[in-house]
Amino acid sequence: MNIHESFRAQVERTPDAVALAAGPQRLSYTELDQRASRLARHLIGLGVTAESPVAIAMERGPDLVVATLAVLKAGGCYLPLHGSHPLARKQWIVQQAGVRLLLADEASHGRGVPGTEQTVLTGAWPGAEPTGPAAVTDPGVVADPDQLAYVMYTSGSTGEPKSVGVTHRNVLGLVGDGMWSTGRHERVLMVAPHAFSVSTYELWVPLLRGGTIVLAPEGNLDVATIGRLIAAEEISCVHLTAGLFRVMAEAAPEAFAGVREVLTGGDVVAPGAVQRVLDACPGTAVQAMYGASEVSLFAFRAPMTAPGGQQDRVPVGRPLDGIRHYILDERLAHVPDEVTGELYIAGDRLARGYLGRPDLTAESFVMDPFGGPGERMYRTGDLVRRRADGRLDFAGRAGDQVKILGFRVEPAEVEAALSRYPGLAHVAVVTREMSPGDKRLVGYVVPGPGDFDMAALREYAQRTLPDYMVPNAFVALDTLPLTPNGKLDRRSLPEPDFQHADQYRAPVTPTEKAACELFADVLGVDRVGMNDNFFDLGGQSLLALRLVSRIRSELGVELPVRVLFDEATVAGLVKQIDQAER
């Protein structure tokens, strides 16, 4: 069995049930199947064969789901491109993956898509109405369960993104897990970017189990919008990254009242946020999920339900079905309970590896000494310890990899990108934790001879890297501090100054003072002036959500998140607040 055969079986069971909901638009299982089959035949005619990588650059909407399913029906594997990533990064990805065909919608194409041999826009797809019996018949392409279903790129320590190849068997192993049989996943809200591995859950768990995908509108989603969608669409389950979950829990925990289960993860989950949601919504269950793209998304879960006192930390939890795991020391020997070791994962969820990088695959997917012949285990790089009750606790990272906004980031990749900027002698990128769960990247740079423009370096980083990988602050040094053995002395690196005292302009009006105080509180800095820029002070998209939510709750002004991105200075935002109040 493969993914599209499993979907066809579901179509036969529930042909008229709603598969997709996007605003007023609804597609039944039969309609989705026919549209995907029609496009799949078109793709086969364009040369898509077994494991052909087909890039998808599309906004969140019904056509995105149609395209993803159609690629599988044609025998290919889909490669989603993140809409906010720089064009140069997307171009590198399609070239590295050997992509010849790109599917794009008009909006994404207008913003710029990478060049491939063929680019097919949604307007050129076969029409919505059938042109004959063959146009709506499944093409009947047989795919082996071990054939690639998708390829996703994650941050890589070598300075280049890593391509994780996931098979049909891997996805079906996730979908078949018993945790989805509780009746809580009938209406799933799709909010994650398609190029984020959580889309594996948002797409295939509902579609292969007879549920409905409710697609959130494209763009930055604020707390109010998510709350309205949950209520209006009667969402039964939603996955939010740990950071976005924390923002929702702080601003509107009652928004989850109608949700049967909330999944969260991608980073350390704040126990206080969990408790606020459980207190406000005693009928809602919260599951902290742990996993990685290399293990087909989720591998562990930690269920939490009210009542219950706040814990000091949220555990990694217990393994899902079919997951084997080991906690090992440096010699690959098991460590006792309550002793910290590195987590290794084995079982049928392990991805094929990093495509085109056998060296990296060999480093992370190693021989399983406790399994059968030829079996592998994935080295997570996470340090954990087993509690007396059998659950796992997270104890840190074995390497330098960190989580920023739920995305895995290798500081080495950021360093490699910055080092290509002309005029830099040395660069080091480290993580600073402003508060629990609020991690920010800082770039320490040593300029070469001559004048150096730090603002130009920031602009270069924004053009080159995804927004979550752009350092929140840059610090110029005469030299990088080193330890006696010649390694970077991280403890001697100065704390970044996110404030600009030389540009300070004090607030005057009550609204100005309130806005400056909110900026300072959300950003965790002592003082903010009218000319200060939210993003120059260390702001990022989740903090933007938090700030807009605070403006709504404390100032009584409703502003969309995009206003903050357009009016990043306090003065610009105050102008928008004044206009909204009038």
Side-chain angles (χ1 to χ4, degrees):
M1 183 72 76
N2 54 48
I3 295 173
H4 47 284
E5 288 174 347
S6 180
F7 176 74
R8 274 295 308 162
Q10 186 59 51
V11 173
E12 294 175 0
R13 290 191 293 268
T14 57
D16 300 322
V18 176
L20 296 182
Q25 187 174 3
R26 299 289 189 269
L27 285 182
S28 69
Y29 272 81
T30 297
E31 290 169 330
L32 174 59
D33 183 54
Q34 290 180 348
R35 288 182 58 177
S37 294
R38 194 175 298 120
L39 177 58
R41 289 178 173 274
H42 185 57
L43 296 179
I44 293 170
L46 294 176
V48 173
T49 58
E51 295 200 350
S52 295
V54 178
I56 300 178
M58 300 176 66
E59 293 187 343
R60 195 164 40 235
D63 283 341
L64 172 64
V65 182
V66 170
T68 303
L69 180 57
V71 171
L72 298 182
K73 281 175 170 278
C77 61
Y78 62 93
L79 192 163
L81 298 174
H82 200 300
S84 67
H85 285 186
L87 182 57
R89 182 183 179 89
K90 289 184 280 191
Q91 186 67 56
W92 185 93
I93 286 174
V94 298
Q95 290 175 346
Q96 197 271 345
V99 172
R100 300 175 59 189
L101 176 63
L102 170 75
L103 299 177
D105 55 26
E106 297 287 351
S108 300
H109 187 265
R111 289 191 296 268
V113 295
T116 56
E117 290 185 18
Q118 298 180 74
T119 297
V120 181
L121 300 182
T122 51
W125 291 3
E129 295 300 324
T131 58
V136 295
T137 302
D138 188 279
V141 174
V142 177
D144 186 274
D146 292 319
Q147 188 171 309
L148 286 180
Y150 66 81
V151 179
M152 285 190 183
Y153 279 74
T154 65
S155 181
S157 60
T158 62
E160 297 175 342
K162 295 185 296 189
S163 54
V164 183
V166 177
T167 69
H168 288 257
R169 186 188 304 277
N170 299 153
V171 175
L172 293 179
L174 172 69
V175 173
D177 195 277
M179 77 169 290
W180 315 124
S181 302
T182 58
R184 297 171 177 172
H185 303 269
E186 297 168 347
R187 294 182 65 82
V188 174
L189 183 61
M190 185 173 185
V191 295
H194 191 218
F196 195 17
S197 60
V198 169
S199 63
T200 306
Y201 159 75
E202 294 176 333
L203 281 169
W204 303 120
V205 168
L207 283 186
L208 302 187
R209 284 178 164 268
T212 300
I213 302 173
V214 179
L215 293 104
E218 182 65 21
N220 293 299
L221 301 174
D222 57 22
V223 171
T225 300
I226 295 175
R228 284 195 295 269
L229 282 169
I230 287 174
E233 295 287 354
E234 299 180 332
I235 298 301
S236 62
C237 187
V238 59
H239 179 282
L240 301 175
T241 62
L244 183 53
F245 175 76
R246 185 173 66 248
V247 172
M248 289 284 293
E250 291 176 355
E254 69 283 354
F256 296 112
V259 180
R260 301 192 64 188
E261 186 164 273
V262 179
L263 309 180
T264 185
D267 204 345
V268 177
V269 178
V274 173
Q275 197 58 51
R276 276 191 291 274
V277 171
L278 296 179
D279 290 343
C281 311
T284 298
V286 177
Q287 296 256 16
M289 309 300 294
Y290 171 92
S293 300
E294 288 85 347
V295 294
S296 311
L297 185 57
F298 300 138
F300 291 79
R301 64 187 180 107
M304 291 158 282
T305 57
Q310 179 174 317
Q311 305 177 67
D312 59 348
R313 60 185 179 272
V314 174
V316 171
R318 293 187 173 89
L320 273 64
D321 299 343
I323 293 292
R324 303 195 313 274
H325 69 285
Y326 317 111
I327 306 175
L328 309 177
D329 61 18
E330 297 85 352
R331 296 170 295 177
L332 297 185
H334 293 283
V335 301
D337 289 354
E338 304 293 347
V339 174
T340 298
E342 186 171 351
L343 176 63
Y344 290 76
I345 297 176
D348 63 2
R349 306 280 182 83
L350 263 63
R352 181 182 295 180
Y354 304 115
L355 303 188
R357 293 303 307 267
D359 53 337
L360 295 180
T361 301
E363 289 178 10
S364 295
F365 295 86
V366 299
M367 182 188 69
D368 182 358
F370 315 104
E375 291 195 84
R376 305 171 303 154
M377 58 183 184
Y378 170 64
R379 181 179 185 178
T380 68
D382 285 333
L383 302 177
V384 299
R385 64 180 68 89
R386 193 186 312 278
R387 293 181 177 184
D389 63 6
R391 291 188 293 177
L392 304 187
D393 277 338
F394 180 73
R397 284 289 302 173
D400 291 335
Q401 187 185 87
V402 295
K403 285 288 186 74
I404 303 291
L405 302 180
F407 292 93
R408 291 188 300 171
V409 175
E410 295 277 3
E413 182 180 355
V414 183
E415 289 178 1
L418 297 179
S419 66
R420 291 191 285 269
Y421 184 75
L424 270 187
H426 302 287
V427 60
V429 175
V430 302
T431 307
R432 298 289 188 183
E433 190 162 25
M434 305 297 292
S435 61
D438 180 11
K439 300 184 182 72
R440 306 185 191 181
L441 293 176
V442 180
Y444 293 90
V445 298
V446 178
D451 295 333
F452 186 78
D453 188 342
M454 192 70 80
L457 173 62
R458 176 182 290 277
E459 292 176 0
Y460 168 81
Q462 292 169 338
R463 293 194 308 270
T464 307
L465 296 165
D467 56 356
Y468 59 87
M469 292 174 66
V470 176
N472 297 107
F474 289 92
V475 179
L477 301 174
D478 293 332
T479 184
L480 293 178
L482 301 177
T483 63
N485 62 2
K487 295 185 178 181
L488 179 68
D489 186 354
R490 297 175 182 270
R491 294 183 179 180
S492 297
L493 291 169
E495 289 289 336
D497 181 7
F498 290 111
Q499 297 171 266
H500 307 284
D502 56 334
Q503 301 176 7
Y504 181 76
R505 178 164 72 87
V508 177
T509 70
T511 301
E512 290 176 351
K513 292 178 180 178
C516 286
E517 289 174 359
L518 285 177
F519 259 62
D521 191 35
V522 169
L523 292 166
V525 297
D526 296 330
R527 184 182 71 170
V528 172
M530 292 298 295
N531 289 335
D532 284 331
N533 184 290
F534 179 78
F535 300 102
D536 287 344
L537 296 178
Q540 51 192 216
S541 54
L542 282 180
L543 292 178
L545 282 172
R546 189 180 303 176
L547 178 58
V548 170
S549 298
R550 293 278 299 275
I551 290 171
R552 177 170 61 88
S553 61
E554 298 182 28
L555 302 184
V557 176
E558 192 77 40
L559 293 176
V561 176
R562 62 174 174 77
V563 166
L564 181 57
F565 286 83
D566 295 336
E567 304 286 353
T569 63
V570 180
L573 191 62
V574 166
K575 180 180 178 181
Q576 294 293 328
I577 292 172
D578 289 340
Q579 290 176 350
E581 289 178 333
R582 289 197 295 269

